[in-house]
Amino acid sequence: MPPMLRFTLYSRSYCHLCQDMLDALLALQSPARPFAVDVIDVDADPALVARFDELVPVLFAAPDGPELCHYVLDETAVLAALEGAARGS
């Protein structure tokens, strides 16, 4: 069984788009599609503010991988990442 996919969501505590993306992401979760989400507050790290600032929310399927989406959840990209993780690729 491949390891569970762990998304990383770069966010801000006062950002309604960030909460919307997290809610939309969690709505895709099911027993058939398990995953975890690490929510990182960009304002806690000046390097993250410099990197993401006005792009938040930003979602990654792997911290060193490409960005899946920002501002609004790209459901197609998320489902493709989950499918790839289920296949072990």
Side-chain angles (χ1 to χ4, degrees):
M1 177 180 208
M4 183 183 342
L5 184 59
R6 211 173 178 86
F7 290 102
T8 302
L9 176 62
Y10 293 95
S11 178
R12 285 194 158 97
S13 61
Y14 58 85
C15 169
H16 77 281
L17 289 176
C18 299
Q19 187 61 54
D20 291 348
M21 184 179 284
L22 179 60
D23 292 344
L25 178 61
L26 293 176
L28 296 176
Q29 194 170 44
S30 72
R33 287 192 305 249
F35 59 84
V37 182
D38 294 320
V39 179
I40 309 294
D41 184 348
V42 298
D43 292 321
D45 182 340
L48 292 177
V49 171
R51 181 176 175 192
F52 297 114
D53 198 22
E54 298 300 317
L55 284 178
V56 295
V58 183
L59 184 66
F60 288 82
D64 58 344
E67 171 188 314
L68 290 179
C69 54
H70 64 268
Y71 300 139
V72 177
L73 186 75
D74 181 340
E75 188 173 319
T76 302
V78 169
L79 293 175
L82 288 167
E83 185 177 309
R87 287 191 320 263
S89 55

